[in-house]
Amino acid sequence: MARRVSARAIKALRQYTYDEAARVLGVSVQTVRSWRKIGLVVIDDQKPHLIVGACLRAFILKRSNKPTLRLRAHEFNCLHCGTARGAWGGLADYIPHTSARGRLEALCEVCEGKCCKFVSKSQLLGLAGFLSVAIRNGAHA
Ligand SMILES: [Zn+2]
């Protein structure tokens, strides 16, 4: 799940390594690395790679200003495309987490990246007309 991150602690004129940026923002190093793939500018012609504070701050502000995506029942928030997408082939897998809720997984119809969202069992029934859902075995199936 995307968590709101505050850019306030970032100093515009400082340069940060992935580790430093992660520590200041309270996110994992993996998260900071993944931001690079979705537009964070990184100085990568040297080791360690550095992120200019101003760029990091701009990136975070741009992300947090994005309105929350309102998904229709059969849509997923594709993190690769950065928007709502349908499921590839109208197919999805439901992996129960508890007796009432589970994770719905599908591939993005545009980029074929993996998308998932949490749904309740009752929401799952409402999807029958839009998606062909395979129920996979989970601990509470
Ligand atoms: Zn996509």
Side-chain angles (χ1 to χ4, degrees), residues 31-117:
T31 299
V32 179
R33 286 179 192 277
S34 73
W35 287 344
R36 189 179 167 198
K37 290 183 202 118
I38 54 172
L40 175 64
V41 178
V42 173
I43 303 168
D44 59 2
D45 58 355
Q46 56 178 42
K47 295 265 178 176
H49 293 175
L50 291 174
I51 306 156
V52 176
C55 295
L56 184 54
R57 192 185 259 179
F59 175 82
I60 290 165
L61 290 177
K62 196 172 137 210
R63 271 170 61 92
S64 59
N65 286 340
K66 229 197 231 175
T68 318
L69 210 50
R70 302 257 329 162
L71 296 175
R72 279 178 284 162
H74 62 288
E75 287 178 330
F76 292 81
N77 178 15
C78 175
L79 297 179
H80 308 277
C81 296
T83 189
R85 298 291 193 201
W88 185 87
L91 300 169
D93 284 331
Y94 177 79
I95 300 104
H97 274 212
T98 67
S99 56
R101 279 176 74 75
R103 197 170 76 237
L104 198 59
E105 289 184 355
L107 297 179
C108 169
E109 66 182 348
V110 175
C111 73
E112 296 183 26
K114 195 170 165 184
C115 305
C116 71
K117 66 177 177 181

Side-chain angles (χ1 to χ4, degrees), residues 10 16-28 32 35 40 51 56:
I10 300 288
Y16 296 86
T17 62
Y18 292 121
D19 290 293
E20 289 165 344
R23 210 172 316 131
V24 171
L25 295 169
V27 298
S28 73
V32 179
W35 287 344
L40 175 64
I51 306 156
L56 184 54

